[in-house]
Amino acid sequence: MRGMNPPDHITRSASVHWTGDIARGSGKIAVESGLVSANYSFGTRFAKEPGTNPEELLGATLASCFTMAFTLGLTRASHPPTTIDTTAHVELSKDGEGFTITKIALVTTVDIPGIEDAALHEIAEGAKTHCPISKALAAVAITLEVKRA
């Protein structure tokens, strides 16, 4: 893309501070930019108490990476989208003594004129496969549903 020259290497940071035991303790997640600062605990992860959890943050990370990669692919194919909305459903399942992320289902809705469904789905699958977060999550089954707005 003209005018866009990303660096060859980037390091981004996030930090967590935890206080207390697992049942009554809690933590705070913060990102380097300062735009995210959220509380989390056993209750926010397993009982829907107010706050965040690692799974929804992972879902947001994958959804945002995929959406940018999808936008890039569509733009390179001369079909820039009007809008894209993506939701990631992260499935956490009991696995013996612990838990495993077993599946992430991406559902994306795109408002885009002038592109055939086959090309749209091919570009979406390429974005899902090649975005850096998808690559990092290669051990997890990631599904994709593409809808038109």
Side-chain angles (χ1 to χ4, degrees):
M1 311 258 347
R2 276 180 275 141
M4 295 180 61
N5 296 310
D8 291 337
H9 176 81
I10 299 170
T11 300
R12 301 289 189 218
S13 299
S15 62
V16 169
H17 176 77
W18 185 270
T19 303
D21 67 13
I22 192 66
R24 291 175 300 281
S26 64
K28 183 163 214 116
I29 298 168
V31 298
E32 147 183 33
S33 67
L35 293 176
V36 175
S37 179
N39 296 321
Y40 80 114
S41 66
F42 186 88
T44 65
R45 194 170 196 186
F46 296 104
K48 294 198 177 254
E49 291 178 7
T52 192
N53 58 72
E55 291 72 35
E56 73 181 9
L57 295 171
L58 183 65
T61 301
L62 177 58
S64 61
C65 184
F66 163 78
T67 300
M68 287 184 77
F70 191 23
T71 301
L72 175 65
L74 291 168
T75 302
R76 284 184 173 165
S78 298
H79 293 286
T82 303
T83 62
I84 299 176
D85 294 291
T86 304
T87 302
H89 303 279
V90 179
E91 191 173 289
L92 183 68
S93 300
K94 186 103 170 104
D95 181 15
E97 294 294 316
F99 287 83
T100 299
I101 293 173
T102 53
K103 177 182 173 183
I104 303 173
L106 292 173
V107 179
T108 192
T109 303
V110 59
D111 182 3
I112 186 169
I115 188 171
E116 294 182 18
D117 283 346
L120 180 67
H121 289 288
E122 181 179 336
I123 293 168
E125 283 294 331
K128 181 189 81 151
T129 301
H130 299 294
C131 94
I133 303 302
S134 290
K135 290 179 184 180
L137 296 172
V140 178
I142 300 172
T143 63
L144 175 62
E145 179 182 355
V146 179
K147 303 176 185 179
R148 287 185 183 261

